[in-house]
Amino acid sequence: MTTICSAPGKIYLFGEHAVVYGEPAIACAVELRTRVSVSRSSSILISSDLGVTGLDHEIHPYISSAIEKLGSPDVSVEISSDIPVGSGLGSSAAATVATLSAINIEFMLGHSKEELAGIAHEIEKIEQGAASPTDTFVSTFGGGVEIPTRKHLSLPDCGVVIGNTKKGASPKKTAKLVKQVAQLREEYPEVIDPIIKTIGSFARKGETLILKKDHISIGKLMNVNHGLLDAIGVSTLELSTLVYAARTAGAYGAKITGAGGGGCMVAITDLQEEVSEAIEKAGGQAIITRFTSNGVMRE
Ligand code: MEV
């Protein structure tokens, strides 16, 4: 028998970096998915774009850990993904969550979604050294989520375009940027603390604006959020170039998503083709997608 499960990536609408200091953030699942096909086999085999291996923590760290955490059953696991790897969109969380879920179903292990989300977070911590539970939680349950409360929110009812600078974001880079912001805050607490609090205020306002379908105001606050992320030093010329290109093409708003320093920006818009074209012209890789309430699911 074969079980196929898929799990989504995510973007931050508001609040990255400020969330490290206890401020709220809003993360939303997007309809870019990692699909994992699991079949019973005579030995452990993992196939992806990265190659075909057995348990291998160098080439397939997250999948290898997922198999081990569920008792190392003899499985053949095949992974394919729409989510660019290492670009701040939660690709490793989606691969981990989809693998855990497919093995759980195929071998009738009986874990709940909550348990699988917890195991996926443990795996991210082991493989990355440190990880917030955001990516694994959003990938498991889908939809919009307020962090740290994990309150489920509705999703903005408009299109999404992601712009990838193709300059690597990675857990190591995230750690470096988080440290860099911490140093700036230590040096100038009276300047940086109010910026962090203001970023937190966007997530507090966000829920009401989403319910009102007020995309213009959500976009405006995303733009201010981007300005403040730039102010604390996590934007790059490439990221801001894509952000401005998206806004000029008519997006409601555009900002970095994730840690910054490379990786991706996100725009919300009802002009997806125009915004996508502008991002490509400005040197980015554009990905047209939409918000999704579907977390991990069987296909
Ligand atoms: C990275 O995706 C988001 C940060 O806020 C770090 C974190 O919350 O773990 C920069």
Side-chain angles (χ1 to χ4, degrees):
M1 220 175 84
T2 296
T3 304
I4 302 174
C5 284
S6 74
K10 65 100 198 34
I11 59 97
Y12 273 97
L13 207 54
F14 300 115
E16 50 274 267
H17 284 287
V19 75
V20 173
Y21 301 96
E23 292 297 327
I26 296 180
C28 299
V30 287
E31 200 46 56
L32 297 173
R33 304 185 78 85
T34 295
R35 276 173 199 80
V36 174
S37 166
V38 160
S39 321
R40 293 175 191 235
S41 162
S42 52
S43 61
I44 295 176
L45 208 63
I46 308 172
S47 324
S48 75
D49 284 350
L50 302 173
V52 180
T53 69
L55 283 180
D56 186 326
H57 285 269
E58 289 295 314
I59 297 176
H60 292 123
Y62 298 93
I63 312 301
S64 298
S65 275
I67 296 170
E68 285 171 348
K69 281 269 180 196
L70 295 183
S72 302
D74 279 334
V75 276
S76 164
V77 180
E78 274 178 51
I79 304 116
S80 65
S81 185
D82 309 330
I83 312 172
V85 173
S87 56
L89 299 173
S91 63
S92 60
T96 309
V97 166
T99 304
L100 289 171
S101 182
I103 295 176
N104 187 46
I105 294 171
E106 178 65 30
F107 290 87
M108 292 179 284
L109 301 178
H111 292 289
S112 67
K113 270 195 179 180
E114 281 76 11
E115 285 168 344
L116 294 180
I119 298 171
H121 181 216
E122 285 302 311
I123 291 171
E124 286 226 311
K125 279 196 288 192
I126 292 166
E127 295 301 338
Q128 297 173 10
S132 93
T134 311
D135 290 14
T136 41
F137 188 83
V138 176
S139 192
T140 305
F141 293 100
V145 180
E146 187 189 76
I147 298 147
T149 58
R150 301 190 182 183
K151 181 177 168 190
H152 283 276
L153 307 175
S154 19
L155 289 166
D157 187 15
C158 62
V160 181
V161 182
I162 288 165
N164 188 353
T165 61
K166 295 171 284 182
K167 298 244 162 107
S170 66
K172 253 196 197 145
K173 192 141 190 192
T174 300
K176 188 176 149 234
L177 286 158
V178 168
K179 198 163 158 204
Q180 189 184 304
V181 172
Q183 277 165 354
L184 193 66
R185 182 169 171 259
E186 255 172 52
E187 227 176 314
Y188 304 104
E190 67 289 2
V191 177
I192 304 303
D193 276 338
I195 294 181
I196 286 170
K197 288 226 157 9
T198 306
I199 293 178
S201 73
F202 303 142
R204 287 190 198 96
K205 266 194 176 307
E207 184 179 6
T208 329
L209 297 175
I210 293 169
L211 285 174
K212 283 201 226 157
K213 298 191 189 293
D214 186 352
H215 303 139
I216 293 180
S217 299
I218 297 170
K220 275 186 195 161
L221 292 186
M222 285 173 74
N223 291 345
V224 182
N225 195 156
H226 179 79
L228 296 182
L229 287 170
D230 193 6
I232 61 173
V234 301
S235 192
T236 61
L237 179 59
E238 289 87 354
L239 276 166
S240 285
T241 301
L242 303 188
V243 162
Y244 278 91
R247 289 183 199 162
T248 308
Y252 293 118
K255 62 180 271 296
I256 291 168
T257 179
C264 293
M265 49 70 68
V266 59
I268 62 163
T269 181
D270 285 320
L271 300 169
Q272 285 183 302
E273 289 300 334
E274 290 86 339
V275 169
S276 161
E277 240 172 65
I279 286 173
E280 293 271 343
K281 257 196 200 143
Q285 178 202 11
I287 306 169
I288 292 182
T289 183
R290 60 186 167 85
F291 294 114
T292 182
S293 55
N294 294 327
V296 66
M297 59 187 199
R298 188 172 190 175
E299 301 229 323

